């Protein structure tokens, strides 16, 4: 008992002494605390986001290692890379076959995403919906928080009374956590659902993607004819659970045999995040780690400055009889208090960083529900690193033998100066890497935006209803609204559209008379774009040879316009105008088992080529692979061949394109009113610039530039603080030398230049090392750059200039103060 009492007394007295010691240098202590908290918090937030989105299985799912999503191999096209493609969607017939006839599975569920707007009590609320089959929740084995989940009966037929299940976050935000939520109504896609239950906090389904509401597939697909029987319509993805003792390989083999397609099973983690977003996220994780290293180096600099200033106190205590063990204990307590405080603050900050980065980069990922086990372990490791760093510097600064210069507050300045310089070089090196990375991403984004996509999109608006199932009749509403939109003041032209560049693609078998092979580029069949005569005016697509479509072509003989690539590839060295091609489906063609590309049946009439259009970018803002040389062709809107089994069906209208004469944004309200025409029960109508379709793909570069700029600015601020602290301390230690120099006639400006020269030397060494590291890092991230070399001289020179300027600005304050000081006052301070 006496021993425990003595330990408690020791902790009480030494903790108080350690606290007083920390407060004795408030500026250095607070700066070190803030730097550690921010640097560690940023990394914990980034790690938590990546862990939740790409590493950990879905929250609350029972035995998640037994749950997988299905992928379907697409045969490699002849002449292509030879590598098969992979799809994650299939038709509903394939889903029912997998669910009912694969012995290795204990269950299977269908699901698909449906971004939507919910109507609650007459008000529209943004909602991310998931359309699922009735066995979805039973497969995941997650009980509801309130009410019940969807069951098989809810998804039995489209006539079943529609019900919906809410996420906990959506229940709280949209319904204010109403305890009487059950049986309240909300509308999605024009269909009204009764709320059957609420899921527990943190549950977002089988993936990390954000979901607000789950609805049964049969109800959501109302009005879509043949959705559950059409083998050509990909309407669903599949998630499965293995039986005990079964392997993913055996289940994949059974499904492949059943569907006569190669099927693969993928674990849940990371499946919902696009590859580009994954690369950007991992790159930013590396960047945040660089910020952590800069923060640790700067913290070490501040702790060295603090230790130098506290060395005299330790020497006095030692001279008065304090044992070395007691001094060691206090140094360790100081380090522990700083590390615990900083790590606790970092955990609090990490939630904010996680949410901020998620909103910018991975907005589809579910919100942070609290620290995970991995995040807690990472926080503990960060705390141990901070404690080790602080205690090592504190212990190393304790005098082994008390000397007069220690009692006077000087000594070992040269050793500390070398330590400071080394740390400042590290900070400068890493900062240059971040600045250069920001520049490389920024130039890549600029190059992307400046590309020629073959279209003139200024002032073009896209009008379309909220995408999703159950949209029968909306095409006719859009078609009938075109004339009302054309009549609006400020509208130059408007046209209904089907598939457009950057919205999807439409591939129909194409054949050329007299040739056995269908036209293609590396096995990729030509893309079809349905076009009215006005489409070329709206999108600014030039006809380089022949003519455009006319109103007479809508009901006249079959005609076609091909792009330049298709004209050159199909009739090399010949005039394409006047030639003809066949377009149509073969009823026996199966896109899932045929290696293709198929040809149309000979019964299909030949279409005359009446014009050659300029190439238009179809799918991607990055012209990788064959993207820059795809074959495209246009047919009149009314002449689009219907898919098999749908002969006589009306052409599908996806939206309306509008070309504005003036400010397009001012037209949005009037266009909405013209299309809706007073109908309040329709789904949400989007009216947005067409350029937003391209912006979606540019977003990773834009976000990477923004986040790198933020991280780089943070690193610059940290480096500037480190430079200031280090050179302020260096000036303090060399005040006697400077006083003597000024006393014997040195001009104050020469003293100023001497200090600035030392700062510039450190910065120059860091810039040289940073430039080399930036080139190496750029080569590692070269796949994410566009039109920019990793060793771009403009970027590297700009990064070097910025870093040197920051170093000079951070040094000039203590340098000017030292150069203007009275030498007599400085000498008096040394005595």
């Amino acid at each position: 008992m006496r021993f425990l009492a003595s330990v408690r007394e020791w902790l009480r007295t030494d903790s108080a002494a350690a606290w007083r010691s920390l407060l004795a240098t408030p500026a250095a202590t607070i700066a070190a605390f803030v730097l550690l908290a921010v640097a560690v918090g940023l990394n914990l937030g980034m790690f938590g986001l990546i862990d939740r989105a790409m590493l950990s299985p879905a929250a609350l799912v029972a035995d998640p290692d037994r749950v997988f999503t299905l992928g379907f191999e697409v045969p490699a096209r002849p002449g292509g890379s030879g590598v098969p493609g992979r799809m994650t969607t299939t038709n509903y017939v394939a889903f029912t076959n997998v669910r009912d006839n694969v012995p290795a599975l204990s269950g299977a569920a269908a699901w698909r995403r449906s971004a939507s707007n919910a109507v609650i009590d007459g008000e529209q609320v943004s909602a991310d919906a998931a359309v699922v089959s009735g066995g979805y929740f039973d497969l995941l084995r997650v009980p509801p928080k309130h009410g019940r989940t969807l069951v098989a009966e809810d998804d039995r037929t489209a006539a079943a009374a529609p019900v919906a299940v809410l996420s906990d976050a959506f229940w709280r935000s949209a319904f204010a956590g109403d305890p009487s939520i059950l049986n309240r109504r909300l509308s999605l896609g024009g269909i009204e659902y009764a709320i059957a239950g609420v899921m527990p906090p943190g549950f977002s389904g089988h993936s990390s993607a954000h979901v607000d509401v789950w609805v049964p597939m049969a109800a959501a697909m109302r009005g879509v004819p043949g959705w559950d029987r059409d083998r050509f319509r990909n309407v669903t993805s599949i998630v499965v659970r293995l039986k005990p003792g079964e392997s993913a390989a055996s289940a994949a083999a059974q499904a492949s045999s059943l569907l006569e397609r190669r099927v693969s099973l993928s674990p849940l983690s990371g499946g919902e995040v696009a590859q580009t977003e994954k690369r950007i996220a991992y790159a930013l994780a590396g960047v945040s780690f660089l910020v952590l290293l800069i923060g640790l180096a700067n913290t070490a600099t501040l702790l060295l400055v603090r230790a130098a200033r506290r060395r005299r106190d330790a020497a006095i205590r030692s001279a008065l009889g304090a044992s070395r063990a007691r001094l060691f204990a206090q140094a360790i307590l100081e380090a522990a208090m700083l590390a615990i405080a900083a790590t606790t603050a970092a955990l609090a900050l990490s939630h904010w960083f996680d949410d901020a980065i998620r909103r910018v980069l991975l907005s589809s990922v579910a919100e942070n529900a609290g620290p995970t086990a991995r995040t807690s372990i990472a926080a503990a490791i960060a705390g141990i690193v901070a404690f080790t760093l602080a205690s090592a510097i504190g212990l190393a600064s304790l005098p082994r033998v008390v000397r007069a210069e220690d009692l006077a507050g000087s000594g070992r300045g040269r050793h500390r100066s070398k330590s400071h310089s080394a740390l400042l070089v590290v900070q400068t090196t890493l900062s240059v890497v971040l600045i250069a990375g920001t520049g490389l991403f920024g130039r890549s984004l600029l190059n992307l935006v400046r590309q020629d996509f073959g279209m003139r999109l200024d002032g073009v608006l896209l009008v379309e209803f909220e995408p999703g199932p159950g949209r029968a009749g909306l095409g006719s509403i859009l078609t009938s609204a075109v004339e009302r939109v054309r009549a609006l003041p400020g509208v130059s032209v408007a046209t209904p559209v089907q598939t457009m560049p950057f919205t999807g693609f439409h591939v129909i078998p194409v054949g050329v008379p007299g040739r056995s092979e269908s036209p293609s580029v590396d096995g990729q069949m030509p893309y079809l774009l349905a076009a009215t005569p006005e489409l070329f005016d709206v999108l600014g697509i030039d006809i380089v040879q022949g003519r455009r479509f006319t109103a007479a072509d809508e009901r006249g003989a079959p005609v076609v316009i091909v792009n330049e690539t298709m004209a050159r590839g199909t009739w090399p060295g010949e005039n394409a105008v006047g030639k003809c091609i066949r377009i149509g489906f073969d009823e026996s063609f199966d896109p899932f088992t045929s290696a293709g590309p198929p040809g149309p049946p000979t019964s299909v009439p030949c279409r005359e080529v009446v014009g050659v259009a300029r190439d238009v970018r179809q799918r991607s803002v990055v012209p990788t692979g064959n993207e820059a040389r795809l074959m495209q062709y246009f047919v009149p809107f009314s002449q689009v061949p219907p898919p098999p089994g749908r002969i006589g069906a009306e052409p599908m209208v996806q939206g309306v394109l509008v070309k504005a004469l003036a400010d397009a944004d001012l037209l949005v309200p009037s266009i909405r009113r013209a299309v809706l025409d007073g109908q309040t029960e329709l789904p949400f109508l989007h009216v947005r610039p067409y350029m937003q379709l391209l912006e979606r793909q540019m977003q990773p570069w834009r976000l990477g530039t923004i986040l790198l700029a933020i991280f780089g600015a943070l690193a610059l601020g940290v480096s500037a603080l480190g430079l200031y602290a280090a050179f302020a301390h260096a000036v303090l230690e060399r005040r006697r030398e400077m006083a003597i120099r000024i006393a014997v006639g040195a001009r104050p400006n020469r003293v100023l230049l001497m200090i600035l020269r030392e700062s510039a030397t450190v910065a120059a060494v860091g810039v040289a090392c940073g430039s080399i590291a930036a080139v190496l890092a750029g080569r590692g991230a070269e796949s994410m750059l566009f039109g920019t070399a990793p060793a771009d001289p403009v970027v590297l020179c700009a990064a070097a200039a910025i870093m040197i300027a920051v170093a000079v600005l951070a040094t000039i304050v203590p340098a000017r103060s030292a150069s203007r000081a009275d030498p007599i006052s400085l000498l008096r301070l040394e005595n």
Side-chain angles (χ1 to χ4, degrees), residues 727-748 750-756 758 814-824 826-827 830:
F727 282 99
H729 178 67
V731 167
L732 183 64
E733 285 199 325
R734 298 177 61 183
R735 57 193 174 189
R736 181 180 180 85
E737 173 194 346
M738 290 184 290
I740 294 174
R741 285 176 180 270
I742 296 174
V744 299
R747 294 180 180 180
R750 292 184 64 84
V751 175
L752 174 64
L753 289 175
M754 177 186 70
I755 300 172
L756 290 178
E758 293 179 3
R816 285 174 63 88
S817 176
S819 66
R820 294 180 177 181
D822 178 21
I824 297 176
L826 289 174
L827 290 171
E830 289 291 321

Side-chain angles (χ1 to χ4, degrees), residues 55 84 96 102 127 144 159 173-174 211 224 238 257 264 322 357 374 420 451 489 559 653 658 673 776:
L55 302 178
T96 56
V102 177
S173 63
V211 178
V224 181
I238 303 176
S257 176
S264 60
I357 299 172
R374 291 178 180 174
H420 292 163
Q451 285 184 98
V559 292
V653 175
V658 179
R673 288 193 296 271
L776 296 176

Side-chain angles (χ1 to χ4, degrees), residues 751-819:
V751 175
L752 174 64
L753 289 175
M754 177 186 70
I755 300 172
L756 290 178
R757 191 183 306 115
E758 293 179 3
S759 172
T761 301
V762 172
V765 174
V767 164
C769 296
S771 298
I772 297 172
V775 172
L776 296 176
R779 288 179 179 174
E782 193 167 3
S783 62
M784 292 183 286
L785 303 179
F786 179 75
T788 306
D792 190 301
V794 175
V795 170
L796 294 178
C797 289
I802 291 172
M803 194 65 244
I804 291 176
V806 167
V808 171
L809 290 174
T811 311
I812 201 167
V813 174
R816 285 174 63 88
S817 176
S819 66

Side-chain angles (χ1 to χ4, degrees), residues 307-615:
R309 294 181 180 180
R310 299 298 298 163
R311 183 178 179 82
R312 182 170 180 269
D313 294 342
I316 292 174
R317 289 189 63 191
S318 180
L320 292 175
S323 66
R324 189 168 178 80
R326 193 67 177 267
L327 295 177
F328 268 50
Q330 181 174 331
I332 290 174
L333 279 174
E334 291 178 16
M337 293 172 69
L338 179 63
I340 291 172
T343 305
T344 303
L347 274 174
L349 285 173
S350 68
H351 187 88
W352 183 86
F353 280 121
D354 181 303
D355 189 61
I357 299 172
R358 181 190 65 82
R359 290 178 184 275
V360 174
L361 179 62
L362 298 171
S363 57
S364 62
V365 175
E367 294 87 348
N368 184 7
T372 63
R374 291 178 180 174
T375 306
S376 300
I377 293 172
I381 294 173
I384 292 172
V385 171
F387 168 74
T388 303
L389 176 67
S391 59
I393 293 174
L395 293 175
S397 67
L398 295 178
R400 296 180 181 274
V401 178
V402 178
R403 295 175 296 184
E405 58 265 30
D406 294 324
L407 294 172
S410 61
R412 297 207 300 172
R414 182 176 297 275
H415 173 72
R416 286 194 297 272
S417 178
K418 290 181 178 179
S419 301
H420 292 163
S421 298
L423 289 171
L424 293 177
V425 167
V426 170
Q427 295 178 59
T428 306
T429 298
L430 298 178
S431 297
V432 169
V433 173
L434 290 184
I435 299 170
T438 304
L440 291 175
F441 263 77
R443 293 208 71 177
S444 295
L445 177 62
L446 187 62
N447 292 335
L448 280 169
V449 174
R450 288 179 172 176
Q451 285 184 98
D452 182 5
F453 295 102
M455 300 178 286
R456 296 184 291 274
L457 301 177
D458 294 339
V460 179
L461 295 173
L462 172 61
V463 183
E464 60 182 349
F465 284 106
E466 186 74 42
R471 297 296 191 259
L474 297 185
S476 60
I477 293 174
L478 290 171
T479 303
S480 63
V482 170
E483 291 302 324
R484 296 194 296 273
V485 173
R486 286 174 180 165
L488 292 174
V491 171
S492 171
V493 64
T495 180
V497 289
Q498 197 180 64
T499 302
M500 299 162 288
F502 295 96
T503 63
F505 57 88
H506 196 179
V507 177
I508 294 179
V510 176
V512 179
R515 303 194 182 186
S516 58
E517 293 185 357
S518 299
S520 65
V521 174
D522 293 338
Q524 173 61 61
M525 296 166 58
Y527 287 93
L528 181 149
L529 292 93
T532 62
E534 297 81 10
L535 179 71
F536 300 96
D537 290 323
V538 176
L539 294 181
I541 302 174
D542 295 328
I543 302 298
V544 297
Q545 191 177 0
R547 67 171 177 87
R548 300 184 181 186
F549 294 141
T550 65
D553 291 324
E554 289 293 326
R555 301 298 176 188
V559 292
V560 65
I561 294 175
V562 299
N563 74 337
E564 294 173 288
T565 296
M566 188 168 179
R568 287 193 303 267
T570 308
W571 302 282
E574 302 180 46
N575 186 356
V577 176
K579 297 290 195 292
C580 76
I581 60 174
R582 289 191 175 91
I583 308 169
F585 287 97
D586 186 342
E587 292 284 344
S588 64
F589 171 66
D590 187 339
F592 303 125
T593 59
S594 301
T602 55
S603 58
V604 173
C606 210
R607 295 173 179 263
E608 180 186 359
V609 178
V610 297
V612 178
R614 191 180 177 202
D615 288 347

